[in-house]
Amino acid sequence: MAEYKILFVDEVQADIRRFQRYVHRKDIDNKFELVVETPENTLENFMNKISNENFDAIITDHKLHEENANISFDGIDLVREIQKEKIDFPCFVLTSFDDEAVINGDDVNIVYIKGLMDTDGENKAHATFLDKIENQIKHYRKRIEDSEEELLALSKKSNDKPLNADEEARLLELDTFIEKATNQPSSLPENLKSTKNLDELHQMIENTDKLLAELKELKNGD
């Protein structure tokens, strides 16, 4: 059974076959299950299509609308949308237009030239593109594991004494990250989701807003 499930997104059949050949050639130990999808016309429709799939990494072409003008987004848009939902999720953009992808993208380290899939493209490289994908997946899984351990420690601590404001904020942050990263419902007890310190902070902000509004009305009345 494959260790990693990766998604490749492209609208050009020749490039899809090219990437499939590359994975077949380089994946000697059969670690990767490769799933291929062609983009929908809108980003929203495509995200709905893949959102419930538990991929470990996504590799996308940059110019997704190069041969289909009806596609309204490109690979950079797709990566941004994915990482909006899953912070730092392993994403990679393959392109023939590296300068443009680097300029338009938020992270230059995820942009790779399609030429790396050619036989000579990686002959002198110490790590293959698949090695880099695997490495990023491992880092992401380790982050999830560390977050789960930290969340458990904070949850146990809350059983003994109330958490301070920073700890409560961190607990909610960890819970949100894990829930989105794993596509699993939150395991955090309901009493910890509505934490005392955060509730008090929100109330203070609300009271401050009301006070500012009242002061503004008094000033306008003068």
Side-chain angles (χ1 to χ4, degrees):
M1 183 177 177
E3 295 180 41
Y4 313 114
K5 183 179 180 180
I6 60 175
L7 172 66
F8 182 67
V9 184
D10 205 321
E11 91 286 16
V12 180
Q13 289 301 314
D15 285 340
I16 290 174
R17 291 191 295 271
R18 184 185 185 187
F19 190 76
Q20 288 172 324
R21 289 194 300 270
Y22 171 78
V23 173
H24 179 74
R25 186 171 70 249
K26 294 292 184 178
D27 186 21
I28 299 172
D29 297 323
N30 296 318
K31 294 181 178 181
F32 293 89
E33 175 189 350
L34 175 61
V35 177
V36 172
E37 292 285 359
T38 54
E40 302 285 329
N41 287 352
T42 69
L43 180 56
E44 181 181 2
N45 286 346
F46 190 67
M47 287 298 296
N48 288 336
K49 184 177 182 179
I50 67 171
S51 61
N52 291 325
E53 297 289 339
N54 291 317
F55 296 113
D56 293 300
I58 292 177
I59 305 95
T60 177
D61 177 42
H62 176 214
K63 296 284 190 177
L64 291 174
H65 41 57
E66 189 175 9
E67 293 192 4
N68 184 350
N70 292 322
I71 298 173
S72 60
F73 63 99
D74 62 19
I76 299 295
D77 297 325
L78 175 59
V79 168
R80 284 183 180 139
E81 192 65 24
I82 290 169
Q83 295 192 335
K84 187 189 302 181
E85 290 296 316
K86 298 184 176 183
I87 300 172
D88 295 333
F89 183 82
C91 292
F92 303 84
V93 178
L94 289 178
T95 180
S96 301
F97 309 95
D98 59 319
D99 290 342
E100 187 175 349
V102 166
I103 291 171
N104 294 338
D106 299 319
D107 184 358
V108 298
N109 296 309
I110 67 171
V111 178
Y112 291 84
I113 302 300
K114 287 183 178 180
L116 63 82
M117 290 184 286
D118 298 331
T119 304
D120 296 333
E122 291 186 324
N123 282 349
K124 297 180 181 180
H126 295 292
T128 68
F129 182 51
L130 275 189
D131 290 333
K132 294 173 182 177
I133 293 173
E134 181 178 12
N135 188 50
Q136 288 301 312
I137 292 172
K138 286 181 176 179
H139 278 300
Y140 192 68
R141 286 182 175 181
K142 182 64 166 56
R143 180 177 175 184
I144 294 172
E145 181 182 326
D146 290 345
S147 297
E148 288 173 335
E149 290 179 358
E150 187 180 354
L151 178 70
L152 180 60
L154 285 171
S155 182
K156 286 182 177 178
K157 183 178 180 180
S158 71
N159 293 329
D160 299 325
K161 63 179 182 179
L163 301 178
N164 61 40
D166 288 340
E167 289 172 330
E168 287 181 350
R170 178 59 176 163
L171 182 133
L172 294 177
E173 178 187 352
L174 289 166
D175 182 62
T176 300
F177 169 72
I178 294 167
E179 187 174 7
K180 289 184 175 182
T182 61
N183 282 340
Q184 297 295 324
S186 171
S187 59
L188 197 64
E190 288 297 326
N191 66 302
L192 291 179
K193 288 185 179 181
S194 180
T195 53
K196 180 177 179 295
N197 282 315
L198 288 180
D199 288 343
E200 290 178 353
L201 177 60
H202 293 155
Q203 186 61 53
M204 288 174 60
I205 294 172
E206 184 178 343
N207 291 341
T208 301
D209 288 340
K210 288 180 179 178
L211 179 59
L212 290 173
E214 291 172 1
L215 290 173
K216 185 176 180 180
E217 287 182 5
L218 288 173
K219 184 177 179 180
N220 291 336
D222 293 340

